[in-house]
Amino acid sequence: MKEIEEICGKAIPYDVDWDSIADDAAGLNFIDNLSCHRLNMALRPICQDDLGKEAVRDGLKLIKLKNVKDKASVKMTFEGGTLEMHCAYGLGADGMINDNDIRKLLEKGL
């Protein structure tokens, strides 16, 4: 949250579905890099100017993360100010959502 605040000027909370990842030690190891870091990388180009920062501050209210078991279940939505990312954290990079795809979805919805 602190890094997001540095990027756009506002802390945006995370809501992690801990039950979905409780039995996945590998997933716990990768959640920060595969979701939080990817989201930060997606936000940086959007927030290069005041207009982009304002759009993110006004439009992105919550980030929900959920662990899924396979690549086929990986998905992402952005509705009503909530970015929801379902990633297969235990698969490492094979189970993540690319930061360019995150950026494109956010830009479309902001």
Side-chain angles (χ1 to χ4, degrees):
M1 282 177 38
K2 187 166 183 70
E3 191 168 347
I4 290 175
E5 184 174 12
E6 292 170 3
I7 295 168
C8 74
K10 175 184 171 188
I12 299 168
Y14 279 92
D15 178 7
V16 179
D17 181 344
W18 291 112
D19 290 339
S20 72
I21 200 165
D23 64 344
D24 189 348
L28 281 169
N29 189 46
F30 287 114
I31 191 169
D32 181 51
N33 186 43
L34 298 184
S35 281
C36 304
H37 181 68
R38 294 287 137 223
L39 176 58
N40 293 341
M41 295 300 291
L43 289 172
R44 288 182 195 287
I46 297 172
C47 294
Q48 287 184 354
D49 58 28
D50 289 339
L51 184 63
K53 289 178 184 180
E54 183 179 340
V56 171
R57 285 192 305 262
D58 293 346
L60 182 58
K61 306 294 183 197
L62 179 67
I63 303 145
K64 295 177 84 172
L65 304 179
K66 182 174 182 172
N67 187 44
V68 295
K69 300 300 179 191
D70 55 57
K71 192 171 182 167
S73 300
V74 172
K75 68 177 186 173
M76 172 179 57
T77 59
F78 182 47
E79 298 172 357
T82 299
L83 174 64
E84 189 163 346
M85 299 169 57
H86 294 195
C87 298
Y89 298 112
L91 298 178
D94 287 336
M96 73 177 197
I97 299 169
N98 181 292
D99 48 297
N100 285 325
D101 293 335
I102 298 169
R103 179 186 50 77
K104 288 175 189 173
L105 181 66
L106 288 173
E107 286 176 338
K108 182 179 176 185
L110 289 173

